Amino acid sequence: AAVALNYGVFRRKNFNTTAQYYMFYDMGATSTVATVVSYQMVKTKEGTRVETNPQLTIKGVGYDRTLGGLEMTLRLRDHLASVFNSQKKRASKIEDNPRAMAKLLKEAERVKKVLSANSDHKAQVEGLFDGEDFAARIKRDDYLELCKDLLARVTKPLEDALKVSEIT
């Protein structure tokens, strides 16, 4: 609602007496929210004066409290950990080392951002585990496959918001 209010404040001159509908979609780190709002100018009477002011109405909201970018990053981190474990046989697994997993999480976040614009990228961390360096090429298609079930849920908040708003 705050985003919708901010949007309307700076576009006040774009609205008229006919309702205009907008949808705001926010996928955060841990949750996703879609909101359908309407803007229109309405006349209000204050004492003897009649003023025309913009009015914001929230028509519908849809959400998924467990869908967010962090889950996608964690899946990429776990994939990088499994790639690292498969490269060489070791006495202990990387998952048992919190510091190494934190380094992989940071690298997974960086790689995720790069893959949003490129089809592949090299993930690399120096001194990841027991002084060993790590490098692996990650393809966007492989990353999308890791997140396939999450991507299928992206449209659900949109559909729910539209259904609640009863806009056809």
Side-chain angles (χ1 to χ4, degrees):
V3 170
L5 186 58
N6 184 48
Y7 181 86
V9 165
F10 293 105
R11 288 162 184 81
R12 180 181 183 140
K13 294 178 183 170
N14 297 347
F15 306 129
N16 55 35
T17 56
T18 305
Q20 297 177 27
Y21 298 99
Y22 292 85
M23 178 178 284
F24 297 96
Y25 188 84
D26 176 25
M27 179 182 279
T30 59
S31 64
T32 301
V33 179
T35 308
V36 176
V37 300
S38 70
Y39 296 100
Q40 69 185 67
M41 299 299 279
V42 294
K43 292 184 179 183
T44 55
K45 187 174 182 181
E46 292 190 23
T48 58
R49 293 185 316 168
V50 175
E51 291 184 348
T52 303
N53 291 308
Q55 181 181 50
L56 164 72
T57 307
I58 296 178
K59 303 301 258 178
V61 177
Y63 54 87
D64 186 333
R65 292 187 176 151
T66 61
L67 177 64
L70 180 61
E71 180 61 29
M72 296 175 183
T73 304
L74 291 173
R75 288 186 183 195
L76 184 55
R77 180 204 62 185
D78 294 343
H79 175 70
L80 293 175
S82 67
V83 169
F84 181 79
N85 286 332
S86 68
Q87 286 178 348
K88 293 180 186 171
K89 294 294 178 189
R90 294 172 188 79
S92 59
K93 294 196 176 272
I94 193 169
E95 289 89 347
D96 299 332
N97 186 319
R99 181 177 175 150
M101 291 301 285
K103 287 181 180 181
L104 277 182
L105 182 63
K106 184 177 180 182
E107 182 64 6
E109 184 66 36
R110 187 187 71 77
V111 169
K112 181 179 81 168
K113 289 178 183 173
V114 172
L115 288 177
S116 69
N118 298 295
S119 61
D120 68 344
H121 190 66
K122 188 173 187 176
Q124 52 190 12
V125 181
E126 292 183 17
L128 176 61
F129 187 62
D130 291 338
E132 291 184 42
D133 295 342
F134 171 67
R137 182 146 306 276
I138 306 297
K139 294 181 180 174
R140 184 190 306 159
D141 293 338
D142 296 338
Y143 173 61
L144 292 176
E145 187 63 31
L146 290 171
C147 301
K148 185 168 58 173
D149 63 311
L150 298 176
L151 296 175
R153 294 168 41 195
V154 167
T155 59
K156 182 83 166 86
L158 299 169
E159 294 164 358
D160 291 347
L162 287 171
K163 184 177 179 183
V164 170
S165 70
E166 297 177 347
I167 296 174
T168 56

